Amino acid sequence: RVPVSRGPSAAAASLGTCFQACGSGLEVVALAAASLASQKLAQTTKGALLGAPVIALALGAAFTSIGMPAGSAFANAVVFDACLPMAVALVLLGADVRDFERAEVTRAMGTFAVGAVGTVVGTLVAWKVVGHAMGTLGAMIASCLCASYVGGSLNFAACAQCVGLEATEQGGAIVAAAMAADNICMAAFFVILGLIPCSDEATKQDDAPSNSNTDFDENKTTWKSVGTAVLLAIGVSLMSKTLADAAGLGAASLAISAFVAGAVAAACAHFNVSLSGGAPIGDALMLVFFAALGAAADVRRVAAAGSALILFIVIQLLVHLACTLAVGTWLRMPRRHLLLASNANVGGPATAAAFASARRWPSLVRVGVFMGTMGYMLGTPVGVAVYNIFVNK
């Protein structure tokens, strides 16, 4: 048998793989540290003005700006495939969602529609202002951004494929630059949403006594109750992913998880099974997700997108928010539903669920997922329709 010697190139490749694994592990540790730090800082006088989600976003962006590796496959798997589904399940298991079907569906559809119309108006206004500076592919980019801000970033790629942006000669580079600008502007937009006060009477509902499964064991958090909540959350996450994959709807696993967790929570409340202590863990995992969003918003890559595109997104989002709040207030919709709808429009179900949890609206986590799921279904058709308006003018 002839021994096979490993040359310098093989050794270098092994060393590179080792460093890459260490970088991915460091990224996960940094995101977890950002979650813990944001919770602590939010308890201070000045930190309370910003809130834990805003602080987590800022810390994630700060880590990236100083050279921390971001967006590795391992870290994305940990955050988006493990932390986020677990967080949604844990928060929903501790929330009172039994009245959701009676009232919240109608409100969710109405506020989501207001936000979606606001996005279309924002796109048309932004196109009127800076469309001439967007280049020959400007109409395609604008319609993709419209699709993204109706139902989340998933629709950007889908709309780009529908309108033919990816098939163009510079399509790949333009999509990468546009999505980088999308990430940084979306992170800044979430900061603004987190700072908007919400003083309507509906905001007090989650602080009032309810019939949730945490009422009878409010001061009886035990290792058993925490363990039960965590195990059920793992089961809900795995079951939802299995059902979504079996149905060929992998992107809908979070929506399925919301309904499965709601059913499990109602059953636990009926049989007086304590799940106390699980929701705080879910809140902490949500902050890991916010830190990952901040880390994805790499400021250094936004310069490649160009000033016209940045200005377009800024105008688009500001007009969207102004229209959503103005029209929603005129229609006497609760402000927290409007803010949640705006978040679902721009970020999708994942960010909407995290936003509701961070604002201490646990009963609206499922509503946010429902809104974001509607956005997944409607974002791309709306974007394509806007593109046809631009082309046929």
Side-chain angles (χ1 to χ4, degrees):
R1 182 179 178 181
V2 180
V4 179
S5 61
R6 299 185 62 172
S9 59
S14 299
L15 187 61
T17 302
C18 180
F19 280 126
Q20 185 177 8
C22 291
S24 299
L26 177 63
E27 181 183 356
V28 174
V29 171
L31 294 177
S35 170
L36 296 175
S38 62
Q39 284 184 311
K40 293 296 183 182
L41 292 173
Q43 296 174 1
T44 64
T45 303
K46 294 182 178 180
L49 298 176
L50 296 175
V54 173
I55 297 174
L57 278 166
L59 290 176
F63 287 156
T64 303
S65 66
I66 62 176
M68 185 196 80
S72 66
F74 174 73
N76 285 340
V78 170
V79 174
F80 294 97
D81 296 337
C83 288
L84 183 59
M86 278 287 294
V88 171
L90 284 168
V91 172
L92 285 173
L93 287 173
D96 184 9
V97 295
R98 287 171 292 177
D99 292 333
F100 173 75
E101 290 80 6
R102 283 180 283 179
E104 301 295 356
V105 169
T106 302
R107 286 183 177 179
M109 293 179 67
T111 51
F112 173 84
V114 170
V117 171
T119 295
V120 174
V121 173
T123 303
L124 296 177
V125 172
W127 179 256
K128 185 71 174 179
V129 175
V130 296
H132 62 279
M134 296 274 286
T136 56
L137 302 178
M140 293 183 178
I141 299 172
S143 62
C144 291
L145 288 169
C146 179
S148 178
Y149 296 148
V150 167
S153 298
L154 182 71
N155 291 287
F156 189 102
C159 187
Q161 186 177 30
C162 289
V163 301
L165 178 60
E166 291 183 341
T168 61
E169 184 177 352
Q170 299 177 331
I174 290 176
V175 169
M179 293 195 76
D182 177 18
N183 283 335
I184 188 66
C185 292
M186 181 173 63
F189 183 75
F190 289 159
V191 171
I192 294 174
L193 284 184
L195 295 176
I196 295 177
C198 188
S199 57
D200 54 72
E201 289 300 318
T203 309
K204 302 176 183 178
Q205 291 179 359
D206 286 352
D207 297 327
S210 66
N211 296 321
S212 69
N213 55 39
T214 58
D215 287 345
F216 57 84
D217 58 352
E218 185 176 12
N219 298 315
K220 295 180 181 179
T221 299
T222 63
W223 286 108
K224 180 180 178 180
S225 65
V226 174
T228 302
V230 171
L231 289 176
L232 285 176
I234 293 174
V236 167
S237 300
L238 293 177
M239 181 185 299
S240 302
K241 182 169 177 25
T242 302
L243 292 174
D245 292 341
L249 301 171
S253 61
L254 202 63
I256 296 174
S257 176
F259 288 96
V260 173
V264 173
C268 289
H270 179 74
F271 293 104
N272 288 341
V273 176
S274 174
L275 301 177
S276 179
I281 299 176
D283 292 338
L285 293 176
M286 287 291 190
L287 293 176
V288 173
F289 172 71
F290 275 111
L293 286 180
D298 190 348
V299 180
R300 296 169 298 179
R301 295 179 56 191
V302 178
S307 58
L309 180 57
I310 299 296
L311 181 59
F312 181 92
I313 295 176
V314 170
I315 295 174
Q316 184 184 28
L317 289 177
L318 290 180
V319 172
H320 154 79
L321 182 59
C323 287
T324 301
L325 292 179
V327 175
T329 302
W330 179 64
L331 294 175
R332 297 183 179 180
M333 294 177 172
R335 176 170 289 187
R336 68 172 184 170
H337 287 77
L338 295 171
L339 296 178
L340 184 62
S342 179
N343 189 291
N345 287 136
V346 174
T351 62
F355 180 73
S357 175
R359 292 294 295 257
R360 297 293 186 266
W361 305 331
S363 65
L364 289 186
V365 171
R366 191 178 179 187
V367 181
V369 173
F370 178 73
M371 290 179 178
T373 303
M374 285 196 296
Y376 275 174
M377 294 185 292
L378 299 176
T380 299
V382 171
V384 173
V386 169
Y387 174 71
N388 289 328
I389 293 175
F390 291 152
V391 171
N392 295 327
K393 270 191 175 182

